[in-house]
Amino acid sequence: MKIKLYFPIITGTIAVLSLAACNDDSVENIEPQQESQRIEQPNALEKVCYYVDQYWSSSAVLTTSLPTSTDTNFMNSQMTKIASLWGRSNPTLRFVNDPSSPNSTYNAISYSTGKIYYGYAIYADAKNKGGNIVNAMILAHEYGHQLQYIFGLPSVSESTARPNELEADGFAGYYLRRPAGYNQTSFAQIAAAYEFAQSIGDYQTTSAGHHGTPPQRRSAVRLGFLLGQYDLTASSFDYNFFYYYQGVLNGTYKMGKNSQNPEIDAYMSKYIDELRKIQSGEISAEELKNLQ
C-alpha cells in the first residue's frame, strides 16, 4: 500500500515586489518565477531517490522561489552550505508549484542530472510540523542522493531502495551536526527533523521503493549524527556508515574492529548497543530526545 498524505491547502494573496523591495525581508510575499509548464518525471534510477512515493502532476510547474522571500533565501542558503560541506558547488535547486493540485507537490526528488526539485506542499508541511530544521534535513537527504550519483554510492545494495534511503538519512544527520553544517551539538536539537523523516515514506518491506522502517530511519539519522564528530569524505562516510549499520541487510551491526579508522571505532564502540536498540525499536522515538 502506498501512503498518500493530505493536509489543508492554505491560499494567500501574492504580492509583486518592486526591484528595490526584493532584498527587504520584512516583505514576505513574492511572485514565484515560473520556468516551465512541464516537469520531467524521475527515471527508474531517480525513483529510488524521492522523499515520498508520489510524483509531479501534469499541471505542476517549476519556479525559482517559494511563496515568501524568507523561505526562498533560507533554502538557497542551506543548499550552498550543504554542497560546500562536501567541497562541491550547488546543484540546481528548483521548487514545484501546482495550484490545480497542491497535494501533488508533497515530494522532493533528486535527479541524476544534478537537480533537486522541492515541492511547495512538503515544504509547508515540514515547516509547520517542525520548523526550518526539518526542511534543512530533507534538503540534506536529497543532496545525499546527489553524492550517491556522483561517487557511485551506496556500496551496499539490495532489491529495495533501503540502502540508498538510509544512507541519505545518514548524510542528513551528519550535516545537521557538522560545525560547517547546521551545527547542532545535541541529538535532542534535531528531534523534529528525524521525527518527520520517519513519519513518511514507503515502509512496505517488499516494495522496490522501501525506505526503511521508522526505527531503521531513526537509527540511520543517529548514526550519521554520530559520524558528524569527524570530517569525512563522501566515500569515507559510506564506508563507516555501512560498517556499523549492517541492519540495512540483516538487522545486526558488525562487532569487529574498524581497522581502517581506529579513532572512529573507539568512539563508535560506545554507541553500538544504543544503535542496535534504536534500530530494533527498543529505544523509542520519545526516548531518543534524551540522547546527546
Side-chain angles (χ1 to χ4, degrees), residues 42-101:
N43 61 32
L45 171 64
E46 293 156 354
K47 285 181 179 179
V48 172
C49 302
Y50 56 73
Y51 213 76
V52 180
D53 188 7
Q54 177 169 281
Y55 306 119
W56 319 120
S57 74
S58 60
S59 57
V61 294
L62 283 178
T63 79
T64 57
S65 60
L66 289 161
T68 74
S69 59
T70 299
D71 289 340
T72 303
N73 292 339
F74 172 76
M75 289 294 279
N76 285 330
S77 65
Q78 285 298 301
M79 189 76 273
T80 297
K81 287 184 72 173
I82 294 165
S84 297
L85 182 68
W86 299 101
R88 305 196 65 83
S89 57
N90 291 19
T92 298
L93 174 63
R94 293 292 182 266
F95 305 101
V96 183
N97 186 25
D98 189 347
S100 299
S101 181

Side-chain angles (χ1 to χ4, degrees), residues 222-291:
R222 175 60 170 171
L223 177 52
F225 183 85
L226 292 171
L227 290 174
Q229 175 80 4
Y230 300 93
D231 185 11
L232 303 173
T233 65
S235 296
S236 181
F237 179 92
D238 175 87
Y239 172 83
N240 284 286
F241 181 85
F242 286 110
Y243 187 92
Y244 296 105
Y245 196 18
Q246 286 303 101
V248 168
L249 294 179
N250 57 21
T252 64
Y253 289 81
K254 284 185 178 179
M255 300 304 290
K257 292 294 181 182
N258 183 346
S259 58
Q260 286 192 25
N261 300 281
E263 181 183 354
I264 293 177
D265 199 65
Y267 173 75
M268 290 300 301
S269 65
K270 298 180 291 185
Y271 297 99
I272 293 298
D273 188 55
E274 172 196 277
L275 288 167
R276 180 188 61 77
K277 289 180 178 178
I278 298 171
Q279 194 269 352
S280 67
E282 294 176 64
I283 294 178
S284 67
E286 189 64 29
E287 290 173 317
L288 281 179
K289 296 177 182 179
N290 298 319
L291 299 180

Side-chain angles (χ1 to χ4, degrees), residues 19-259:
L19 181 61
C22 287
N23 294 322
D24 183 359
D25 282 342
S26 66
V27 181
E28 283 295 302
N29 294 327
I30 61 176
E31 179 70 32
Q33 180 182 346
Q34 294 184 2
E35 287 199 337
S36 172
Q37 293 299 317
R38 189 170 182 177
I39 302 177
E40 67 268 37
Q41 296 294 343
N43 61 32
L45 171 64
E46 293 156 354
K47 285 181 179 179
V48 172
C49 302
Y50 56 73
Y51 213 76
V52 180
D53 188 7
Q54 177 169 281
Y55 306 119
W56 319 120
S57 74
S58 60
S59 57
V61 294
L62 283 178
T63 79
T64 57
S65 60
L66 289 161
T68 74
S69 59
T70 299
D71 289 340
T72 303
N73 292 339
F74 172 76
M75 289 294 279
N76 285 330
S77 65
Q78 285 298 301
M79 189 76 273
T80 297
K81 287 184 72 173
I82 294 165
S84 297
L85 182 68
W86 299 101
R88 305 196 65 83
S89 57
N90 291 19
T92 298
L93 174 63
R94 293 292 182 266
F95 305 101
V96 183
N97 186 25
D98 189 347
S100 299
S101 181
N103 287 334
S104 76
T105 66
Y106 200 98
N107 206 352
I109 300 178
S110 189
Y111 290 78
S112 59
T113 50
K115 299 176 290 190
I116 296 175
Y117 291 172
Y118 207 106
Y120 270 33
I122 198 170
Y123 182 89
D125 193 43
K127 184 177 180 180
N128 179 59
K129 289 179 177 175
N132 286 336
I133 193 171
V134 181
N135 281 304
M137 179 176 181
I138 295 173
L139 191 60
H141 172 107
E142 291 306 318
Y143 188 76
H145 291 310
Q146 290 292 312
L147 295 173
Q148 291 170 344
Y149 296 141
I150 294 165
F151 296 105
L153 305 174
S155 57
V156 167
S157 63
E158 60 169 274
S159 60
T160 75
R162 183 167 49 171
N164 307 64
E165 294 302 319
L166 293 182
E167 182 174 56
D169 282 342
F171 279 130
Y174 178 86
Y175 170 73
L176 292 181
R177 182 174 186 179
R178 290 299 297 161
Y182 212 76
N183 194 29
Q184 301 297 284
T185 57
S186 166
F187 198 65
Q189 292 175 301
I190 71 167
Y194 66 71
E195 285 179 347
F196 188 88
Q198 61 88 40
S199 70
I200 62 177
D202 185 347
Y203 303 141
Q204 304 303 311
T205 59
T206 58
S207 167
H210 177 41
H211 279 45
T213 65
Q216 288 171 340
R217 296 196 73 174
R218 290 195 291 268
S219 60
V221 175
R222 175 60 170 171
L223 177 52
F225 183 85
L226 292 171
L227 290 174
Q229 175 80 4
Y230 300 93
D231 185 11
L232 303 173
T233 65
S235 296
S236 181
F237 179 92
D238 175 87
Y239 172 83
N240 284 286
F241 181 85
F242 286 110
Y243 187 92
Y244 296 105
Y245 196 18
Q246 286 303 101
V248 168
L249 294 179
N250 57 21
T252 64
Y253 289 81
K254 284 185 178 179
M255 300 304 290
K257 292 294 181 182
N258 183 346
S259 58

